[in-house]
Amino acid sequence: EPFGDAASFPLYLLSRFAREHVKVVLSGDGGDELFGGYRRYAADRFANSYQRLPQFLTSRLIPEFAGRLPRLRRTKRALETLPIRDPALRYAGWLTLFTPEMLTDLLQPNVADDGHKPFAPYAYYYDRAKRFPCSDHLNRLMYVDLKTWLPDAYLEKTDKATMACSLEARLPLLDHRLVELAFQIPGRLKISGGSLKRIFKLALADVIPAEVLRRPKHGFAVPTDPWFRGELKEFTFSVLLDGRARARGYFNTKGIERLWREHAEGRHVWDSHLWLLLNFELWHRLYLDGDSL
């Protein structure tokens, strides 16, 4: 199946290096979802305050100002998401890359109207989490991640990257007893101010060196932004906009070309969107068309 997380590259390289020394590794997958490790958890707490601002600011003035800036991707995502009043749909806005408006623009009508609702799983699991003993808003968001992003993206990424190197990854933080305990802990103990995973760090203060516990959060960043303006610019155009891709009938190629041009010219940052589209087309050629890449 297609997989669109570019962080699989550095994780594969790390796994290949580790395999030179060991056969089994322990991974920290699940820690963010259980103990509040994502910045969006902290940012979502400002939704009510943001929604109390005058509407002309939140609906027009602030978004227009941010829209003139080519970067600030996280800020733009926050400004698009914070005004959404339904908490489950708002959280889906933090996680989904293509907005409903973008899907309407990029997908052909027969594909866009197939009945698929990409936001539906987020609302479903947010509602299910209301039955938990400790069912505050933050724990509901973490449960949504535990049931969607964690298995469908992060665990798949870890499994594929490690097994490609004949390395076995174990996930001690996802022991069911620890998961059950984590969802009995109030969210206010997991995030305090700007401190993420607070109670988890306190619990390990006598085990992990202080410089490690205080180290800023850092993901597996991949330079897809400059790639699509440089080394991958022409390759992406030749794949996404050639005759075969146009003939599939999935996408409005004018919309895809607009994304490509705006990113290549530095007017907007669409690298994550282009990465997904490129992965899908290459996957289609390899596994459905039977090509050899």
Side-chain angles (χ1 to χ4, degrees):
E1 60 191 29
F3 185 75
D5 189 345
S8 54
F9 279 152
L11 184 57
Y12 168 76
L13 295 175
L14 181 62
S15 300
R16 193 170 68 179
F17 172 78
R19 184 59 183 86
E20 296 176 2
H21 305 278
V22 296
K23 295 182 179 180
V24 181
V25 294
L26 299 180
S27 168
D29 286 317
D32 291 326
E33 291 80 6
L34 297 180
F35 297 104
Y38 294 126
R39 298 183 186 96
R40 58 180 177 264
Y41 296 148
D44 194 78
R45 296 185 302 167
F46 293 101
N48 291 334
S49 299
Y50 188 80
Q51 291 166 10
R52 285 196 291 267
L53 293 174
Q55 189 172 6
F56 79 92
L57 287 176
T58 59
S59 63
R60 189 178 74 252
L61 198 59
I62 296 177
E64 286 179 1
F65 175 75
R68 296 192 184 102
L69 303 173
R71 295 294 184 265
L72 299 180
R73 176 165 34 191
R74 293 182 187 274
T75 301
K76 290 179 179 179
R77 172 61 62 90
L79 295 178
E80 293 170 353
T81 303
L82 288 174
I84 301 173
R85 296 191 176 276
D86 183 290
L89 294 181
R90 183 172 64 248
Y91 195 61
W94 288 108
L95 295 169
T96 51
L97 192 61
F98 291 91
T99 65
E101 293 76 18
M102 291 185 73
L103 292 177
T104 300
D105 181 51
L106 291 175
L107 295 175
Q108 293 288 5
N110 62 313
V111 178
D113 298 334
D114 71 347
H116 176 63
K117 299 178 179 179
F119 282 18
Y122 304 108
Y124 173 76
Y125 288 115
Y126 186 89
D127 186 67
R128 280 194 64 183
K130 293 178 181 178
R131 302 178 299 175
F132 288 1
C134 190
S135 181
D136 55 63
H137 176 62
L138 178 56
N139 273 312
R140 294 175 199 170
L141 300 186
M142 289 190 292
Y143 181 70
V144 170
D145 278 339
L146 189 79
K147 301 296 286 188
T148 57
W149 271 86
L150 182 64
D152 294 338
Y154 300 138
L155 295 186
E156 183 176 354
K157 175 179 63 182
T158 297
D159 187 58
K160 287 183 174 178
T162 54
M163 294 308 292
C165 305
S166 299
L167 180 70
E168 185 169 347
R170 304 283 175 85
L171 312 171
L173 296 183
L174 291 177
D175 182 283
H176 70 92
R177 289 159 294 192
L178 183 58
V179 173
E180 292 163 1
L181 173 63
F183 282 103
Q184 297 178 47
I185 300 173
R188 58 183 170 78
L189 299 180
K190 299 178 180 180
I191 295 182
S192 178
S195 177
L196 304 176
K197 291 196 286 193
R198 184 171 180 272
I199 196 169
F200 188 55
K201 293 176 180 178
L202 289 173
L204 295 174
D206 295 333
V207 180
I208 305 296
E211 61 270 20
V212 175
L213 288 176
R214 290 196 296 263
R215 185 181 299 161
K217 188 176 181 63
H218 191 284
F220 274 158
V222 179
T224 50
D225 179 0
W227 282 356
F228 285 122
R229 286 185 280 110
E231 297 95 326
L232 290 181
K233 176 182 174 183
E234 298 304 325
F235 174 75
T236 303
F237 185 91
S238 69
V239 171
L240 294 182
L241 295 163
D242 75 346
R244 180 161 46 164
R246 292 174 184 268
R248 296 200 193 281
Y250 301 148
F251 300 105
N252 171 13
T253 51
K254 289 183 178 179
I256 292 180
E257 184 172 359
R258 177 180 57 79
L259 292 183
W260 179 84
R261 291 194 182 280
E262 289 180 351
H263 187 89
E265 295 169 2
R267 288 185 282 148
H268 287 282
V269 180
W270 300 120
D271 57 316
S272 297
H273 304 74
L274 291 170
W275 181 264
L276 290 178
L277 292 166
L278 183 63
N279 270 267
F280 176 77
E281 175 60 25
L282 293 175
W283 167 83
H284 201 294
R285 294 183 182 190
L286 184 62
Y287 291 102
L288 299 188
D289 298 347
D291 287 8
S292 57
L293 300 180

